[in-house]
Amino acid sequence: MQIDNKEIEKSPFEFLMTINFCATAGFAKMLNKSTLYERMGRICDQIKRRNPYEDFRIIDKLGKGGFGAVYLVQHLKSKKYFAMKEIAPSDDADLEDTLTEIALQNMASKGHKNIIGINKSYEWNEKGVDKFYLIMEWMDAGDLSTMLKTIPGQFNEDVIVYILKEILQALSHMHKNNQIHRDLKPLNVMLTTDGKVKLGDFGLAAQLVAEEYHQKEIKGTPKWMAPEILVTKPYNELTDIWSLGIIAYELAVGVNPYQGMTLNRIMFSAKN
């Protein structure tokens, strides 16, 4: 494929999407459902059924969301620091989502430097509430969202290229394994003080299987959602590339292109 440099300069995002489409068109043969569930089941069988506070102590609370909370913890024996995500599923659907998150993040992070790995997982009943605890790498510089708010529009081109390249490497690895992140946004891009960039939070991730190449569920955060998700059309891994394009815009300009828009307005823009 030969494309003139002027065409690339005129429509860089379209060029990026074309490259990704060509790169992912020859996907490896997808897993069938039974194989996938067997693999995910083996990972979930490794969840420790014990109190995580026998091994870790809380140092600080890093954040809170609809899923639960994230803490900075220290391993009692090694004295190493980790991030611990606490999840309390409220029903069977939440439980299935939690187990899927644990399995997919484990599968995606194996041997890849740009995806946050899960060190251990625990299940424990605390005061009558069943909870899951994901012990993950601690990214000591926080998330990209905080950096965007601190220095909006002040990233130089080399920094933007570096951040996008690192995210793309994570997505490439996921897409080659037929996985979709579905919630790619600055809040889920984690950083370290020595320059590492890693993709985290697989709470909405999905595994494409041979029986269902396209997803139809509405998952994600509206300001970073691809149009096909917003208008409830079938979608696949290319939705992550749309979200990456939004991040690229935020890094360069300093604001989200949908800043200040209501969900209805965003959906209207997607349809038109």
Side-chain angles (χ1 to χ4, degrees):
M1 179 177 65
Q2 293 185 341
I3 302 177
D4 186 84
N5 286 339
K6 291 182 179 179
E7 290 298 316
I8 298 174
E9 292 173 4
K10 189 188 302 180
S11 305
F13 183 58
E14 285 79 359
F15 174 70
L16 177 62
M17 288 192 70
T18 302
I19 290 295
N20 186 76
F21 180 81
C22 292
T24 58
F27 263 20
K29 186 177 181 181
M30 295 185 190
L31 300 173
N32 59 42
K33 278 188 176 180
S34 59
T35 304
L36 171 64
Y37 291 160
E38 181 183 341
R39 184 177 296 181
M40 292 173 69
R42 286 199 300 268
I43 293 171
C44 291
D45 286 342
Q46 296 171 13
I47 297 173
K48 298 177 182 295
R49 271 72 184 183
R50 57 180 288 189
N51 187 347
Y53 298 113
E54 294 177 2
D55 299 325
F56 298 89
R57 69 184 182 97
I58 293 177
I59 303 297
D60 195 10
K61 191 173 187 176
L62 300 176
K64 188 175 182 179
F67 59 84
V70 178
Y71 300 93
L72 172 63
V73 297
Q74 185 180 40
H75 189 250
L76 296 177
K77 287 185 178 179
S78 70
K79 306 303 180 185
K80 291 182 179 180
Y81 292 98
F82 296 88
M84 181 178 77
K85 184 175 182 179
E86 177 189 88
I87 307 172
S90 59
D91 53 31
D92 288 346
D94 275 355
L95 175 60
E96 184 178 348
D97 288 344
T98 299
L99 294 175
T100 299
E101 175 179 358
I102 293 170
L104 288 186
Q105 189 160 346
N106 263 293
M107 290 164 64
S109 64
K110 294 298 182 187
H112 202 278
K113 68 182 184 69
N114 295 114
I115 298 176
I116 293 177
I118 296 179
N119 183 272
K120 295 175 183 175
S121 302
Y122 293 80
E123 181 184 3
W124 187 248
N125 187 293
E126 184 180 354
K127 297 178 181 178
V129 179
D130 285 325
K131 294 184 178 181
F132 288 84
Y133 303 83
L134 280 59
I135 309 299
M136 303 176 288
E137 298 175 70
W138 174 45
M139 305 295 282
D140 62 354
D143 58 72
L144 183 58
S145 176
T146 301
M147 186 176 288
L148 277 165
K149 292 172 184 174
T150 306
I151 50 171
Q154 297 180 42
F155 294 87
N156 66 48
E157 188 174 328
D158 288 343
V159 172
I160 293 174
V161 168
Y162 174 74
I163 292 173
L164 295 178
K165 182 195 74 172
E166 297 296 292
I167 299 173
L168 269 171
Q169 288 178 163
L171 291 180
S172 175
H173 177 73
M174 289 185 66
H175 293 173
K176 284 176 182 176
N177 288 287
N178 311 312
Q179 296 169 341
I180 318 176
H181 189 276
R182 294 200 297 189
D183 199 23
L184 179 58
K185 57 186 177 182
L187 190 63
N188 292 336
V189 177
M190 308 304 294
L191 313 167
T192 65
T193 51
D194 62 353
K196 293 186 178 70
V197 179
K198 298 197 178 191
L199 187 56
D201 198 335
F202 280 59
L204 298 181
Q207 177 80 49
L208 292 170
V209 292
E211 295 89 338
E212 298 172 2
Y213 178 70
H214 293 89
Q215 288 283 319
K216 294 182 180 179
E217 296 175 285
I218 299 178
K219 299 279 188 177
T221 308
K223 288 180 182 176
W224 291 271
M225 274 186 188
E228 55 267 38
I229 300 180
L230 286 166
V231 298
T232 65
K233 289 184 177 179
Y235 59 89
N236 58 25
E237 72 288 342
L238 295 179
T239 57
D240 287 337
I241 300 303
W242 174 276
S243 303
L244 181 65
I246 300 293
I247 292 176
Y249 183 95
E250 290 178 287
L251 287 168
V253 180
V255 296
N256 187 284
Y258 297 118
Q259 190 73 27
M261 287 190 187
T262 64
L263 176 58
N264 285 339
R265 181 62 185 169
I266 294 173
M267 292 182 73
F268 178 81
S269 299
K271 292 177 181 178
N272 297 277

